[in-house]
Amino acid sequence: MGRSNIAGLTVILLLSVEETPDPISTVIKGEIPSWITGSFLRNGPGRFEFGESKFNHWFDGMALMHRFHIKDGQVTYSSCFLRSDSYVQNSEKNRIVVSEFGTLATPDPCKNIFARFFSRFQIPKATDNAGVSFVKYKGDFYVSTETNFMRRIDPVSLETKEKVDWSEYIAINAATAHPHYDRNGATYNLGNSHGRNGFFYHILRVPPGDGKNDVADLSGAEILCSIPASDPRKPSYYHSFVMSENYIVFIEQPIKLDLLKFMLYRVAGKSFHKVMSWNPELETIFHVADRHTGQLIKTKYYSSAMFTLHQINAYEDNGYLIMDMCCGDDGNVIGDFTIENLQASGEELDKFFNSLCTNLPRRYVLPLDVKENEPNDHNLINLPYTTATAVKTVTGVFLSHEDLYNDDLLQYGGLEFPQINYTYYNARPYRYFYACGFGHVFADSLLKMDLEGKKLKVWRHAGLFPSEPVFVPAPDAKDEDDGVVMSVVITPRESSFLLVLDAKTFTELGRAEVPVDIPCGTHGLFNEMS
């Protein structure tokens, strides 16, 4: 890939943009299928400085929400900054006053020297800068990050509604931005808590609702299962979790948070990502719970050290739980996306990219009924379509993965931001998934993986940088891949655009070019209701 393209993208990636609250028309090239009716909602950072103070990490930028409204083959675009407390307070002071993942807010210069000194001993409040994803609870839309705060959102106007604190409904300190949904409308998530009794990971369930009440409502939320941390002083970082029809799996990976450092990090002048460490000498532990009863399976499942941010899918087959996910072998990558690293150019940017581990799709298979009299050092998996193994040991069941790719994937770099036909195939046997390929620091291709033969289809064009692909099924779909794949494509030289691919052939159907700047984002979803 040309360095000029990458250098240009680093500028756009870190570019603070203006919001576009009133919908504007786009220029259609090709054809947007007329059956697509709804809104493609996206989230991600859109402002990286206030006054003279700048954020240190890409994750820290102020949340900018995007809406591509599609109807009758036409597309309009709008965007709004989330009016979080963080955004409002930073704007009022014209400097960063709320700490984020990689940026520690500095003391108020207007305070006297003693007040500034003692302010370092106050643990900063969790941010409500919910810039990771759009999520749904009881039919309502929220934007979410990885703290205990969410914001309810009007999915049409992108207006910021009320702030929601998980801890007012249930005894947790934080929840992920990647919940799962069952077919009855209930939402599941993963949270945590810590106190005198230690550190716990909690599997949560929010019951269905109709979204007809114009007020945030998480009532009825319950903790299905609580899992004590293997090391209560150094719990694991997590970004998502696994769910099949009958089970939920929490992956306790060796990316550790030092709670003592966390309590002292303001005194030490360090941001949150500085208290995270990768510990490759530790195991990765898979905690399996019954999704209906909350009962933990007693068997300890574990593997060698790996880390995962995003799961692809999971399903059950003949007494086994099959889990597919994007995995890497170096968890330091999470803290590496600092503004300093991303602003590098030429050889320095290449050096940064080469220091990153490559995330690739893997399959782990867990035997769900492990008998005590099973012999040790024996593979417990008897499925014809996988080479993954599960070997009983003295301490549990050791898992070895199967690679879900052939060598041709490597020419497109790593693979991340996986998506499937979630509506009809989540938690069920499936054949296809879609993802971004990473030929450099930023995604530069879209990939379709056919798990029957691990065959790839690729959309890739020089100077075009796509975002997470989202699958939208066709109304008359018969096959798993009947539908379209949508992605927002950023380009340093021309108008960025919404790309629509035929999911079956993985060829372009059309694009909607946007006449304003769009920064790179994180996650999104398609809302067929608006």
Side-chain angles (χ1 to χ4, degrees):
M1 175 176 302
R3 286 178 178 170
S4 61
N5 289 331
I6 284 292
L9 185 64
T10 61
V11 174
I12 291 180
L13 180 78
L14 307 175
L15 178 69
S16 292
V17 302
E18 298 295 326
E19 63 184 359
T20 307
D22 297 321
I24 59 175
S25 298
T26 63
V27 177
I28 305 298
K29 301 287 182 67
E31 183 176 347
I32 307 297
S34 59
W35 59 261
I36 304 176
T37 302
S39 296
F40 186 29
L41 302 174
R42 293 272 302 159
N43 200 354
R47 182 171 178 177
F48 296 93
E49 70 282 316
F50 288 89
E52 297 299 317
S53 56
K54 298 181 179 181
F55 291 113
N56 297 326
H57 200 285
W58 184 61
F59 295 172
D60 299 343
M62 293 290 95
L64 181 64
M65 303 172 291
H66 311 262
R67 177 177 182 253
F68 294 84
H69 181 58
I70 309 169
K71 185 177 182 180
D72 298 329
Q74 298 300 308
V75 181
T76 59
Y77 170 79
S78 57
S79 66
C80 286
F81 279 107
L82 177 69
R83 263 51 178 189
S84 61
D85 291 348
S86 300
Y87 180 88
V88 172
Q89 292 172 23
N90 291 340
S91 297
E92 289 176 347
K93 297 290 186 180
N94 198 30
R95 66 183 184 87
I96 297 170
V97 298
V98 180
S99 295
E100 300 289 344
F101 174 76
T103 305
L104 185 68
T106 56
D108 188 343
C110 295
K111 292 182 177 180
N112 64 43
I113 188 171
F114 297 105
R116 279 182 285 164
F117 173 76
F118 284 111
S119 68
R120 283 193 173 274
F121 293 87
Q122 300 171 357
I123 297 299
K125 295 181 180 179
T127 181
D128 66 336
N129 177 35
V132 176
S133 65
F134 276 87
V135 297
K136 292 181 70 174
Y137 293 95
K138 294 189 174 184
D140 282 330
F141 286 82
Y142 298 80
V143 285
S144 180
T145 181
E146 297 187 320
T147 69
N148 55 310
F149 296 120
M150 298 188 297
R151 283 279 185 166
R152 192 166 70 93
I153 298 298
D154 183 320
V156 176
S157 68
L158 299 181
E159 179 187 357
T160 302
K161 298 288 190 177
E162 64 266 48
K163 180 179 178 179
V164 179
D165 184 348
W166 273 101
S167 64
E168 294 181 359
Y169 294 89
I170 197 169
I172 62 170
N173 297 322
T176 80
H178 289 292
H180 275 292
Y181 311 97
D182 70 17
R183 288 172 176 82
N184 297 316
T187 306
Y188 297 79
N189 209 334
L190 187 68
N192 66 64
S193 67
H194 54 87
R196 292 182 179 180
N197 295 325
F199 191 102
F200 292 86
Y201 314 102
H202 303 292
I203 296 171
L204 321 173
R205 180 183 183 275
V206 178
D210 55 20
K212 294 182 179 179
N213 296 323
D214 190 23
V215 62
D217 179 19
L218 297 181
S219 61
E222 60 178 330
I223 294 177
L224 289 180
C225 177
S226 296
I227 303 166
S230 299
D231 183 347
R233 298 167 302 174
K234 293 184 177 181
S236 292
Y237 170 78
Y238 55 87
H239 188 69
S240 58
F241 63 101
V242 176
M243 189 175 87
S244 69
E245 289 281 9
N246 296 296
Y247 297 93
I248 289 177
V249 183
F250 165 58
I251 300 171
E252 192 172 16
Q253 55 192 358
I255 304 176
K256 296 295 184 177
L257 311 177
D258 190 316
L259 292 186
L260 178 59
K261 287 183 179 179
F262 177 73
M263 298 300 290
L264 297 175
Y265 83 143
R266 186 172 179 83
V267 180
K270 294 182 177 181
S271 55
F272 179 71
H273 80 289
K274 295 290 187 181
V275 306
M276 300 172 64
S277 64
W278 170 244
N279 298 265
E281 73 281 1
L282 300 178
E283 303 165 344
T284 298
I285 303 173
F286 301 77
H287 301 274
V288 183
D290 187 297
R291 183 162 72 86
H292 309 290
T293 67
Q295 186 70 37
L296 275 171
I297 290 182
K298 294 181 180 179
T299 302
K300 175 186 175 182
Y301 302 95
Y302 66 105
S303 73
S304 55
M306 66 88 173
F307 89 98
T308 180
L309 293 176
H310 301 113
Q311 279 70 55
I312 303 171
N313 200 4
Y315 61 92
E316 299 150 40
D317 182 10
N318 198 31
Y320 298 97
L321 177 59
I322 290 87
M323 303 186 309
D324 299 342
M325 61 191 78
C326 294
C327 302
D329 294 319
D330 184 356
N332 285 314
V333 66
I334 294 175
D336 286 341
F337 278 77
T338 62
I339 302 298
E340 179 182 6
N341 283 336
L342 295 176
Q343 285 180 330
S345 60
E347 292 182 0
E348 287 301 313
L349 190 63
D350 290 341
K351 182 179 178 181
F352 170 56
F353 171 67
N354 291 330
S355 72
L356 300 174
C357 76
T358 300
N359 280 18
L360 294 165
R362 294 177 180 175
R363 171 168 290 175
Y364 290 86
V365 180
L366 283 62
L368 292 168
D369 185 18
V370 180
K371 302 290 193 302
E372 289 187 7
N373 60 357
E374 291 278 4
N376 290 342
D377 303 321
H378 173 68
N379 181 21
L380 303 177
I381 298 174
N382 185 26
L383 292 173
Y385 56 79
T386 182
T387 59
T389 63
V391 176
K392 188 180 178 188
T393 68
V394 174
T395 56
V397 175
F398 182 79
L399 306 175
S400 296
H401 67 270
E402 173 190 0
D403 290 328
L404 290 183
Y405 62 92
N406 292 319
D407 288 345
D408 59 341
L409 172 61
L410 301 179
Q411 67 182 294
Y412 303 103
L415 180 155
E416 257 295 349
F417 295 110
Q419 289 284 322
I420 62 169
N421 182 342
Y422 193 97
T423 302
Y424 298 107
Y425 288 86
N426 183 57
R428 294 174 174 171
Y430 74 113
R431 179 174 174 179
Y432 304 105
F433 70 87
Y434 312 89
C436 287
F438 283 79
H440 211 280
V441 176
F442 315 106
D444 61 352
S445 64
L446 292 172
L447 308 174
K448 176 186 179 181
M449 178 65 77
D450 182 349
L451 292 173
E452 290 189 8
K454 303 174 184 177
K455 300 185 291 290
L456 270 183
K457 284 186 169 69
V458 181
W459 182 92
R460 187 186 197 186
H461 296 275
L464 302 183
F465 302 91
S467 64
E468 173 189 61
V470 171
F471 178 88
V472 180
D476 57 350
K478 296 181 180 179
D479 297 328
E480 180 183 340
D481 58 350
D482 280 343
V484 298
V485 168
M486 296 183 184
S487 175
V488 177
V489 179
I490 307 300
T491 172
R493 297 177 177 177
E494 301 174 359
S495 297
S496 296
F497 56 91
L498 173 66
L499 172 70
V500 180
L501 299 177
D502 182 310
K504 189 177 287 288
T505 64
F506 223 54
T507 55
E508 180 173 341
L509 295 173
R511 62 179 67 180
E513 296 181 346
V514 181
V516 297
D517 290 330
I518 302 177
C520 290
T522 47
H523 298 288
L525 54 77
F526 184 76
N527 175 24
E528 63 182 16
M529 302 301 292
S530 68

